[in-house]
Each structure stands twice: as structure tokens, then as C-alpha cells.
Amino acid sequence: MSILQVKKLTKHFGSRTAVNAIDLQIEAGQVFGLLGPNGSGKTTTLAMLLGVLRPSAGDFTWFDQPASAESRKRIGAILETPCFYPYLTATDNLKAVAEIKGCSYNRIDITLKEVGLLDRKYDKFQTYSLGMKQRLAIASALLADPQVLILDEPTNGLDPAGIVEIREIIQKIAQTGKTIILASHLLSEVQKVCSHFAVLKAGRLLHQGSIHDIEQEKTTIEVGASNMILLRETLDQLKGIRNILQDGDFYRLEVEHEVTTEYIMQHLHAKGITPSHLLKKQGNLEQQFLKILADNE
Ligand SMILES: Nc1ncnc2c1ncn2[C@@H]1O[C@H](COP(=O)(O)OP(=O)(O)OP(=O)(O)O)[C@@H](O)[C@H]1O
């Protein structure tokens, strides 16, 4: 089932175009990363998709139907950190959220467990760390057991341990079959948790695809030396090299991910070869992201 179809979605703020005719397709079960630098239009896009902002042009469907109050109930979202009562416990705060959303209190312990806060449920919100506050926000978004969870920059401001916790929670939630859409400017985060992603820059959609495709990108090492024949003979004997192609005055090696330039260097040294050129090129999202941004300058 298609979860979200977006067509030519646009938002102008006065003369500024924050979101410029973007198209998106998100399918059930995907963990979808909306990736882009600050000010690229991620929050504005999510706000339109959640009915918080009215689009200037374009449209979208949720669950193959025009957006409605009904479809909105199937989506749990955190656009901004929700306001919790500092002097109330996590449980009492979630009771207040349950009242607003009209859902059963039975879900409170289930969601607190999902975000790893069950043993702190009677602690006051004001005693929570930033990471715990963010996890409680996720619990509140999960309270009505939505099909889709939307998170805007979920690891913002967290320390490395807090970031890992949020990542693990997102992965666990994804395993339950929910579709997750998260906006982030952190490439590594998107690469670690997302199955699919789109890149926004200055309100435009530059790329949409699966993380898998990018990870399948070949890792290559370029190596050149004055004696290309001896270099070739040496490279032919090395393990971990899948393919060797000559490209001008160097060879382009398709290698296993683990093969390092140090490994190549050691073997060349043993044969008395000093490389004139040695460069590893990894097909990871960061390079793709930078390339996508550069290609669209
Ligand atoms: N209410 C508003 N009025 C005027 N301009 C706005 C408004 N909201 C956002 N913008 C502008 O729209 C553009 C996109 O902002 P948006 O917050 O959607 O980007 P973002 O990718 O979410 O960035 P960040 O990661 O910094 O939150 C920016 O230039 C921003 O200044």
C-alpha cells in the first residue's frame, strides 16, 4: 500500500519559496529519511503533510486518500518538542495526552516500554535527561498506535549515547511494521536507520531512492606507479580485489569494503613499488549526498 504520495507540493512565504514543487512516494514499512541542510524545507514539508500549514500549490494523499481528520489519526508526529508538565510523572503526562487523543490508558505502559522508560514512569518529567524527554515525546506520538510515525530531527541536541538510544528505538519501532518518516540534516543517522531517503536543497527535491542502492555502490581504489606492468602483476596477486581496469596512468580497482589503502601500500612496498597515486573512493551516502548537492549547484 502507498502510505504517502506527494505531487508538486509547494509553499511560498511571501516572496520566499520554502518548498518548490516536490514529489515524494513513500510505501508501507519504509523508514524514510528526508535529508537536507538547514533551511532546505524539511520542517515546512512535514508541516504541510500534517495539515499544520496550508500548501501554496500541489497536493498529496495519505493511505491512497485525500488527507482528512481520519487519515491524520493514523499518523503520530513530533514536529516540535511537545509541552509536558514538568511536575507530573511520565505516566501522568501520557494520561493527559491520552485524554486529548481519546485513546486508552492501556497504551501508556506499552509505549513507555517501547521507548525504554517503563522503569522511570513514576519519575517527574523535570528529572528527565534530554534524551529521556525526547523518548517520552516519541512515546506520546506512539500512544494512539499510529501506522505512521513522523519525527523532525529526533536526535537534535543529544549526546552520542542519547543518539544511539533514539536510533535503536527507531529501529525497534520499524520492526513492528510501522512506517517512519524522519527529517534530518545528519547523513550518518539517515544511513544507519533509513531504508529510503530523499534529498532536499533550497526547497527542491534533488534525489529520491533506497539506501540499499547506494550501499551497493562499489568501493574503488585508484592506484598508479611509474612501472604499470609490475604494478599490475602485484595487484593481480592481491586478495580482496574484484576487478582491475586501467584508466589513463592509474588502475581503478573494484575492491571488497575491507580493503584499505594501507593494505595495498604494504604489498606495493614489499615489491619495491612506490605509488604515484593512491586514493580510496567509498560509495557511501555522505559522498552521494555531497555529490548530489554539488551536481545541483
Ligand atoms: N513561517 C515562516 N515564515 C517565513 N519563512 C519561513 C517560515 N518557516 C520557514 N521559513 C523559511 O523557509 C525555509 C525552509 O525552512 P524549514 O524550517 O522548512 O527548513 P528545514 O530544512 O526544516 O531547516 P532546519 O533543519 O533548520 O529546521 C527557510 O528559508 C526558512 O527561513
Side-chain angles (χ1 to χ4, degrees):
M1 176 183 58
S2 166
I3 293 288
L4 176 68
Q5 297 258 13
V6 175
K7 291 210 176 73
K8 304 274 169 256
L9 192 64
T10 301
K11 181 69 188 177
H12 305 295
F13 290 112
S15 59
R16 177 179 297 133
T17 303
V19 176
N20 198 345
I22 68 167
D23 294 330
L24 290 173
Q25 290 82 41
I26 300 180
E27 305 297 324
Q30 290 182 350
V31 181
F32 193 93
L34 200 52
L35 189 58
N38 287 337
S40 53
K42 306 180 296 291
T43 304
T44 305
T45 301
L46 296 183
M48 287 190 281
L49 297 175
L50 288 166
V52 176
L53 277 179
R54 189 189 292 272
S56 306
D59 51 44
F60 57 89
T61 57
W62 279 110
F63 315 105
D64 291 323
Q65 280 160 19
S68 63
E70 244 357 87
S71 62
R72 182 65 187 81
K73 282 188 189 153
R74 294 158 74 181
I75 305 165
I78 316 173
L79 265 198
E80 287 163 10
T81 313
C83 293
F84 291 113
Y85 297 101
Y87 48 87
L88 290 187
T89 64
T91 298
D92 287 341
N93 267 300
L94 290 187
K95 278 183 183 167
V97 177
E99 292 295 339
I100 294 166
K101 292 192 173 178
C103 52
S104 145
Y105 286 180
N106 296 341
R107 291 277 308 156
I108 292 175
D109 277 5
I110 297 171
T111 56
L112 284 172
K113 185 158 187 271
E114 276 188 288
V115 300
L117 286 176
L118 196 56
D119 57 340
R120 302 290 301 268
K121 67 179 190 172
Y122 296 126
D123 289 357
K124 287 183 179 165
F125 179 72
Q126 63 194 11
T127 68
Y128 274 18
S129 69
L130 203 59
M132 292 164 75
K133 288 176 177 167
Q134 183 62 342
R135 285 191 273 147
L136 187 63
I138 295 176
S140 80
L142 290 172
L143 211 52
D145 198 12
Q147 258 176 284
V148 180
L149 179 66
I150 297 184
L151 306 169
D152 192 5
E153 300 279 2
T155 58
N156 244 8
L158 301 185
D159 62 16
I163 291 174
V164 171
E165 281 167 3
I166 296 290
R167 185 192 307 150
E168 287 173 356
I169 288 167
I170 292 172
Q171 284 165 337
K172 242 172 42 190
I173 296 168
Q175 280 165 15
T176 66
K178 291 191 198 304
T179 305
I180 300 174
I181 303 172
L182 70 95
S184 176
H185 65 282
L186 295 174
L187 315 171
S188 56
E189 279 307 300
V190 167
Q191 193 166 22
K192 280 175 190 138
V193 301
C194 294
S195 60
H196 293 76
F197 76 113
V199 181
L200 282 186
K201 187 188 173 194
R204 287 184 184 278
L205 180 80
L206 302 185
H207 178 86
Q208 181 171 189
S210 88
I211 296 278
H212 179 74
D213 290 348
I214 274 178
E215 288 180 342
Q216 288 304 300
E217 281 262 311
K218 296 176 190 105
T219 302
T220 58
I221 292 181
E222 295 173 1
V223 54
S226 53
N227 188 338
M228 290 290 277
I229 296 169
L230 180 60
L231 175 61
R232 175 72 201 227
E233 283 170 11
T234 309
L235 293 172
D236 278 338
Q237 289 162 19
L238 284 188
K239 289 210 170 72
I241 297 182
R242 294 187 205 149
N243 195 16
I244 303 177
L245 286 168
Q246 186 155 1
D247 186 350
D249 54 0
F250 59 82
Y251 291 114
R252 192 184 305 283
L253 320 176
E254 264 176 50
V255 297
E256 307 289 344
H257 282 285
E258 305 72 42
V259 173
T260 61
T261 49
E262 289 76 22
Y263 166 80
I264 304 274
M265 193 74 167
Q266 267 174 13
H267 285 82
L268 298 188
H269 265 302
K271 297 280 179 185
I273 302 169
T274 305
S276 53
H277 174 77
L278 185 60
L279 182 67
K280 183 165 184 176
K281 293 188 167 177
Q282 206 122 26
N284 67 15
L285 181 54
E286 182 149 11
Q287 282 173 359
Q288 285 284 319
F289 179 72
L290 295 174
K291 186 170 176 299
I292 289 162
L293 293 185
D295 287 350
N296 284 276
E297 280 300 339

